[in-house]
Amino acid sequence: MKILLVEDDNMHADFLMEIVENALPEFDEILVAHNGKEAEKLANLHQISAVVMDLRMKEHNGIEAARTIWAERPHTRILFWSNYSDEAYLRGITRIVPDQAAYGYVLKTATPDKMRLALRAVLIEAQIVVDREVHQIQAQQMRSRSALTEFEYLILLDLALGLPDKAIAMRRKLSLRTVQNRLLSLYDKLEVESQDQNEMGIVLNKRTRAVSSAIARKVINREGLISANKELSAWLAGQPVPLD
């Protein structure tokens, strides 16, 4: 069996190679990709069924690579590992993972023992494994009154990409009033109203402030916006989302 390791940092790639050799003797060939584009090509060429994927890479991030790999082979098992536990990454993964896929999310601060357990659980036993710290963030999101719903999150991405209310309504198949009500809820949760008050009497743009607040709170990030921009371009062109 073949396994694909996707990591753009040589030190981390060496660590992955060593731990995979020790934890997964079932795999007799280990392939290494140094960016998402290379990962897509190797996964397709070798029909890879098991992947360890870095999330944040300079050339083509892990979420985009996983989207392409899953689109071609939905049963591929992918263990994401990252230095980051941001809400934006969690949402990015949950938006693309197929129902039938086993996946995991482990932080690079995990001990070698935890990494071995995660590797075997996801790539051999087809389980879903989420790092405790990441799971805590997910739980906080669910409990928090300021947590964004999925529709609010999508509308936030539309705001960041510059869509006006009518275009958002058209794209999300909502009424204009529903979009405007969701925006009010979004502003409240991101505390935009309170930030708009100032002694100089300057009226700040609420849409821009909402995006700024979301970035500061790590609700959206560069990788998520790249993916969202691809989806928007495809929607505007009336075509399926491109895989590359």
Side-chain angles (χ1 to χ4, degrees), residues 1-3 17-30 116 119-120 124:
M1 291 196 300
K2 298 178 181 179
I3 183 173
M17 179 76 74
E18 180 180 348
I19 203 165
V20 164
E21 288 176 345
N22 177 265
L24 301 173
E26 294 88 345
F27 292 95
D28 51 22
E29 186 173 356
I30 301 175
R116 292 187 192 96
L119 284 166
R120 294 204 62 81
I124 300 298

Side-chain angles (χ1 to χ4, degrees), residues 13-235:
D14 290 343
F15 169 79
L16 270 183
M17 179 76 74
E18 180 180 348
I19 203 165
V20 164
E21 288 176 345
N22 177 265
L24 301 173
E26 294 88 345
F27 292 95
D28 51 22
E29 186 173 356
I30 301 175
L31 304 175
V32 179
H34 298 286
N35 59 65
K37 284 288 188 184
E38 188 179 349
E40 293 170 5
K41 292 177 182 177
L42 287 175
N44 183 53
L45 178 63
H46 296 275
Q47 296 295 290
I48 298 294
S49 61
V51 180
V52 182
M53 180 81 73
D54 187 16
L55 275 176
R56 191 168 183 174
M57 294 177 283
K58 293 179 180 178
E59 293 185 42
H60 206 61
N61 66 73
I63 290 178
E64 284 300 296
R67 181 204 294 275
T68 299
I69 291 171
W70 271 329
E72 295 171 347
R73 291 173 305 285
H75 290 88
T76 303
R77 301 170 185 180
I78 300 180
L79 176 62
F80 297 96
W81 81 316
S82 175
N83 283 318
Y84 307 95
S85 56
D86 302 1
E87 178 182 347
Y89 285 115
L90 302 181
R91 286 188 181 268
I93 292 172
T94 54
R95 290 183 67 213
I96 65 170
V97 61
D99 292 337
Q100 62 268 49
Y103 75 98
Y105 193 141
V106 178
L107 296 179
K108 291 184 178 180
T109 54
T111 64
D113 285 343
K114 286 184 178 180
M115 188 63 183
R116 292 187 192 96
L117 289 173
L119 284 166
R120 294 204 62 81
V122 175
L123 304 182
I124 300 298
E125 300 169 15
Q127 297 181 20
I128 295 176
V129 175
V130 178
D131 189 283
R132 177 177 294 181
E133 181 178 335
V134 177
H135 177 71
Q136 288 174 343
I137 292 175
Q138 289 178 320
Q140 289 170 1
Q141 291 171 6
M142 294 178 64
R143 292 194 301 265
S144 174
R145 294 180 61 185
S146 63
L148 302 187
T149 66
E150 184 62 19
F151 258 124
E152 288 167 348
Y153 176 72
L154 293 176
I155 289 173
L156 173 63
L157 290 177
D158 288 342
L159 282 187
L161 295 173
L163 288 182
D165 292 1
K166 288 184 179 180
I168 295 173
M170 183 186 304
R171 185 182 186 196
R172 302 303 173 187
K173 296 180 173 60
L174 300 170
S175 69
L176 181 58
R177 176 167 292 185
T178 298
V179 169
Q180 291 170 342
N181 287 336
R182 296 291 176 89
L183 284 172
L184 291 176
S185 176
L186 189 64
Y187 296 151
D188 181 58
K189 291 180 177 181
L190 295 174
E191 299 180 345
V192 171
E193 293 289 349
S194 61
Q195 295 173 3
D196 282 345
Q197 306 301 319
N198 61 82
E199 296 179 356
M200 298 180 64
I202 298 174
V203 179
L204 302 179
N205 186 294
K206 290 183 180 179
R207 302 169 85 89
T208 305
R209 294 296 293 174
V211 173
S212 175
S213 177
I215 292 173
R217 294 165 182 245
K218 300 181 180 180
V219 176
I220 57 176
N221 61 9
R222 176 179 177 273
E223 288 78 9
L225 290 174
I226 290 174
S227 296
N229 192 55
K230 281 190 174 184
E231 293 172 359
L232 174 62
S233 297
W235 177 72

